[in-house]
Amino acid sequence: MNPLYLIIPFAPLLGSILAGLFGKQIGRRGAHTVTILGVAVSLVASILVFQDVMAGNTFNGTLYQWAVVGKLVFEVGFLIDTLTATMLLVVTSVSLMVHIYTIGYMEEDPGYQRFFSYISLFTFSMLMLVMSNNFLQLFFGWEAVGLVSYLLIGFWFKKPTAVYANLKAFLVNRVGDFGFILGIGLIMANEGSMNYTEVFAKGNDLAPMTFPGTDWPLLAVACICLFVGAMGKSAQFPLHVWLPDSMEGPTPISALIHAATMVTAGIFMVSRMSPLFELSDIALNFILVIGSITALFMGFPHYSERHQACGGVLHIVSIGLHDSGLGCVCLPRCHLPPDDSRLLQSAVVPWCRFGDHWHAS
């Protein structure tokens, strides 16, 4: 295994630990130095891994076996392919820019070290989600991103509106995550595995099965449950209501959530699960409808600058999910407007997969 695979997620984690636990000892300069250095190292490693993947080298393997229950194996592992390598570049590059911007934005804030620890931990969580090769690790990254976003949105915890906003985001995402874990449970119970490769290989076995006690296609139910999780993370109708309030946190949080992590996590998950979604027309149509509704209504003029900014983000992200419903795999690409008074917006470049080849649509 290439040692760069370990450096990518754990360099930001190390920076987060140093800034969080030893913030008083190393001071403000030390806190931003170690976290920015960790993310910068992760970015350089991501670039090298991307070049390696473009040269035809991929990886899918287990790093650590946590537990074995009967035939079910719980493990930590990495899947490095074109989709992963592209997302690694997006997450680490945007995160590095946000870290650097934060030095000036949070200069006078008393929670300076704590803030850098949180955003670096946020980056680690997203990287673990992106690099996972099994549903257990995907769920760990999924929940870790949600937990740290709760801490970041409510960073100014003495401000009542910030406390309300982080609770709202947390609770709305719990609704989505409930569907997400149900989808994982259905797949695990019927296929006896949590590894992507094994699950995708057995996908055709799920297609003719029905949900117990009904005539509903089991695969469609599982895929829709998974997508409900994406509706929460990517703020799709009707679980979009938390996103405008998330701007109660410091501006760098809005940038990180909207551009690099939370909002694009749902699209990444749908893209990663495309071998399953492609076997269910019902699930694809559901994604198409939800993406279209959100894109339509978020494209309308809004009554405040905050809602207008979030509406613009959701409009473009929803177009990406609309394309996923048409059988396309979406790779997020971030556009960073220079005006620091507005959040960093995300855009989505739809890619269609035919066989083992990727084509821009």
Side-chain angles (χ1 to χ4, degrees):
M1 184 188 72
N2 191 332
L4 292 175
Y5 301 156
L6 291 174
I7 292 174
I8 291 173
F10 291 112
L13 177 62
L14 178 61
S16 175
I17 292 173
L18 292 175
L21 298 182
F22 306 101
K24 291 184 178 179
Q25 288 80 0
I26 63 178
R28 291 177 171 243
R29 181 181 294 272
H32 72 236
T33 299
V34 294
T35 52
I36 289 176
L37 182 61
V39 177
V41 169
S42 182
L43 173 58
V44 172
S46 298
I47 294 172
L48 296 176
V49 167
F50 182 81
Q51 293 175 337
D52 192 46
V53 170
M54 290 298 101
N57 301 312
T58 60
F59 176 80
N60 183 15
T62 300
L63 300 179
Y64 174 71
Q65 190 177 93
W66 180 44
V68 178
V69 181
K71 295 182 179 181
L72 191 61
V73 180
F74 298 93
E75 57 192 16
V76 176
F78 290 156
L79 171 59
I80 310 296
D81 58 6
T82 307
L83 180 61
T84 302
T86 305
M87 277 297 295
L88 290 178
L89 288 180
V90 172
V91 174
T92 53
S93 59
V94 174
S95 179
L96 179 61
M97 296 302 103
V98 171
H99 275 71
I100 295 172
Y101 174 77
T102 300
I103 295 175
Y105 187 89
M106 300 294 289
E107 184 178 7
E108 304 297 330
D109 197 285
Y112 191 85
Q113 292 96 318
R114 176 166 59 95
F115 189 83
F116 272 97
S117 177
Y118 284 173
I119 59 176
S120 199
L121 182 61
F122 199 101
T123 305
F124 161 76
S125 302
M126 187 64 185
L127 291 172
M128 288 297 287
L129 185 158
V130 167
M131 299 177 71
S132 62
N133 75 338
N134 61 83
F135 285 98
L136 177 66
Q137 187 175 331
L138 175 69
F139 188 71
F140 163 78
W142 197 266
E143 291 303 309
V145 166
L147 173 61
V148 183
S149 70
Y150 168 81
L151 298 173
L152 288 169
I153 294 171
F155 181 78
W156 289 322
F157 52 86
K158 294 183 179 180
K159 187 179 177 183
T161 53
V163 174
Y164 170 80
N166 73 348
L167 284 174
K168 185 176 182 179
F170 190 78
L171 292 175
V172 170
N173 274 277
R174 294 290 68 73
V175 175
D177 293 350
F178 180 69
F180 189 62
I181 198 170
L182 285 179
I184 293 176
L186 282 173
I187 293 172
M188 181 179 68
N190 288 278
E191 296 204 0
S193 176
M194 299 187 77
N195 185 276
Y196 293 161
T197 304
E198 296 176 6
V199 169
F200 296 160
K202 299 177 182 178
N204 288 320
D205 297 336
L206 278 179
M209 298 175 64
T210 58
F211 192 76
T214 71
D215 56 355
W216 303 343
L218 180 65
L219 185 60
V221 175
C223 288
I224 289 174
C225 286
L226 290 175
F227 182 68
V228 169
M231 288 167 61
K233 281 291 183 288
S234 291
Q236 298 297 293
F237 176 86
L239 302 181
H240 65 288
V241 293
W242 65 270
L243 193 62
D245 294 292
S246 70
M247 297 180 72
E248 284 294 337
T251 295
I253 300 315
S254 298
L256 202 57
I257 289 176
H258 298 141
T261 48
M262 287 276 283
V263 170
T264 56
I267 296 180
F268 171 81
M269 187 276 294
V270 172
S271 301
R272 176 59 73 201
M273 298 297 125
S274 60
L276 294 180
F277 282 94
E278 290 169 358
L279 296 175
S280 172
D281 289 339
I282 296 175
L284 288 177
N285 289 334
F286 184 77
I287 296 173
L288 181 63
V289 169
I290 295 297
S292 299
I293 291 174
T294 310
L296 175 64
F297 287 101
M298 292 303 108
F300 291 160
H302 295 266
Y303 58 84
S304 71
E305 183 179 353
R306 173 186 298 178
H307 287 76
Q308 185 68 50
C310 291
V313 171
L314 291 185
H315 175 70
I316 300 175
V317 169
S318 301
I319 291 174
L321 287 173
H322 167 275
D323 291 335
S324 295
L326 294 175
C328 298
V329 179
C330 300
L331 301 179
R333 182 179 67 186
C334 298
H335 297 280
L336 310 180
D339 183 1
D340 59 12
S341 66
R342 302 177 65 181
L343 64 95
L344 305 181
Q345 298 179 347
S346 71
V348 175
V349 179
W351 289 65
C352 294
R353 190 181 65 187
F354 301 96
D356 294 326
H357 303 285
W358 297 76
H359 306 272
S361 64

